[in-house]
Amino acid sequence: MAVSPRLSPAMNVLHQAVQKAGRRLLRDFGEVENLQVSSKGPGDFVSQADLRAEQTLKEELARARPGWAFLGEEGGQTEGAGAADGAWEWRWVVDPLDGTTNFLHGIPHWAISVGVEKRIAEDKTELVAGCIYNPAANELFWAEKGMGAFLNDRRLRVSGRREMVNAVFATGIPFAKVQRKVEFSMTLAKLMPQVAGIRRFGSAALDLAWVAAGRYDGYWELGLHRWDIAAGLVMVREAGGIVTDPAGGEGFYEAGHVVCGNPALQPKLREVVAEGIAAAEAARAAQRE
């Protein structure tokens, strides 16, 4: 893959790391039936492939940026070399294999997602860069704050659609024993009659990347983790999209409740999601009475 002249040193490091981890995952994907799999919970699996990919990323990123902290889905938080406990300035936020269920079923829709988080105050951070790589499709999405979003070397923009009737949105369906099923059902019932289609492909990172690429007009999901969305949030905003929580606020990264899309349709999608949440709360209140 050609290296873009737009790459900063940190992004160059990130590209090399995700591609190295991606090559290893592709080998495992070719032998997916031989993977030893253990369950972490309903619909959430960890495999040898996850663990090996995260270790590759941790080693490669630490070698280039030893002072940076690392937050991974599998291994949790580690501080950078020389950093006092909790005093990191820069942090990698890593999902080594987003779309594990797809991966384990031989479906080539999964990705490595790495976001870059910077501490700007004692109790405040911001996301400044991200990379989402789907090795099976050889698609590397990346973005840096103020520099734009890209697919390989092509600049990305969110879609230009303005009418709900023409829109295709993406989401994640809550799986067994996961909360928020009522919120999802209420939102879906309100949204389906208004739009051209709703998709659930099983990778939050790629859903966000595809919004940035204009393939989806918007995306919503509740209860996500930081590593699911860190890279994609930067990407959507750098592609000209809007990201909020369902109430229209900035709490999406901490709470994991995300509504994003192009400037024309995101407010309309957010309104429907908020209505779905309110309807779910009302239904639960009625049951308690």
Side-chain angles (χ1 to χ4, degrees):
M1 180 179 298
V3 177
S4 168
R6 305 179 187 91
L7 293 182
S8 68
M11 186 57 70
N12 195 26
V13 166
L14 185 47
H15 277 211
Q16 293 177 14
V18 299
Q19 289 180 76
K20 182 173 183 179
R23 289 191 293 270
R24 188 161 197 170
L25 282 171
L26 272 178
R27 290 195 296 270
D28 285 332
F29 188 62
E31 300 179 358
V32 67
E33 69 276 6
N34 297 324
L35 289 176
Q36 297 178 17
V37 181
S38 61
S39 174
K40 292 194 300 185
D44 188 11
F45 302 100
V46 61
S47 69
Q48 293 178 23
D50 286 275
L51 299 172
R52 285 195 292 261
E54 184 165 301
Q55 186 60 34
T56 296
L57 290 165
K58 183 177 289 188
E59 291 171 357
E60 292 296 310
L61 296 173
R63 183 179 299 115
R65 296 290 187 273
W68 290 27
F70 185 100
L71 176 63
E73 179 181 11
E74 306 302 342
Q77 168 87 18
T78 58
E79 301 300 332
D85 184 35
W88 56 269
E89 180 181 4
W90 295 88
R91 180 167 72 171
W92 305 107
V93 185
V94 178
D95 190 340
L97 179 52
D98 185 58
T100 306
T101 301
N102 286 345
F103 185 94
L104 294 174
H105 285 77
I107 300 169
H109 191 80
W110 45 270
I112 300 164
S113 178
V114 183
V116 178
E117 190 174 1
K118 178 178 173 59
R119 189 184 299 278
I120 57 177
E122 184 177 350
D123 59 349
K124 186 176 181 181
T125 67
E126 68 173 343
L127 294 166
V128 297
C131 187
I132 297 170
Y133 181 41
N134 179 354
N138 194 31
E139 290 191 330
L140 198 159
F141 301 86
W142 58 280
E144 293 187 86
K145 186 178 179 181
M147 300 296 291
F150 299 84
L151 167 53
N152 299 334
D153 292 329
R154 179 172 62 84
R155 184 73 177 257
L156 297 180
R157 293 294 299 177
V158 294
S159 75
R161 296 181 187 89
R162 304 184 61 84
E163 302 298 330
M164 292 286 277
V165 70
N166 298 320
V168 172
F169 294 126
T171 190
I173 300 174
F175 32 76
K177 299 183 180 179
V178 173
Q179 296 179 355
R180 300 174 297 276
K181 290 191 290 292
V182 178
E183 285 83 348
F184 172 78
S185 298
M186 295 289 190
T187 300
L188 196 65
K190 292 175 179 293
L191 188 61
M192 286 179 65
Q194 302 183 45
V195 300
I198 298 172
R199 303 289 183 262
R200 197 280 193 185
F201 281 179
S203 168
L206 285 175
D207 286 340
L208 289 163
W210 283 24
V211 171
R215 297 174 182 177
Y216 295 140
D217 301 297
Y219 162 76
W220 90 95
E221 192 164 354
L222 308 180
L224 294 163
H225 298 287
R226 294 189 177 206
W227 47 77
D228 296 319
I229 58 178
L233 295 177
V234 181
M235 213 159 292
V236 171
R237 285 183 156 175
E238 286 299 309
I242 297 175
V243 185
T244 71
D245 59 28
E250 295 288 320
F252 45 84
Y253 189 49
E254 290 75 19
H257 304 331
V258 174
V259 185
C260 70
N262 72 31
L265 293 176
Q266 192 273 352
K268 299 175 184 178
L269 174 61
R270 186 195 64 75
E271 183 177 350
V272 175
V273 174
E275 290 174 355
I277 293 172
E281 292 173 350
R284 278 192 287 267
Q287 288 179 345
R288 289 192 296 267
E289 292 178 355

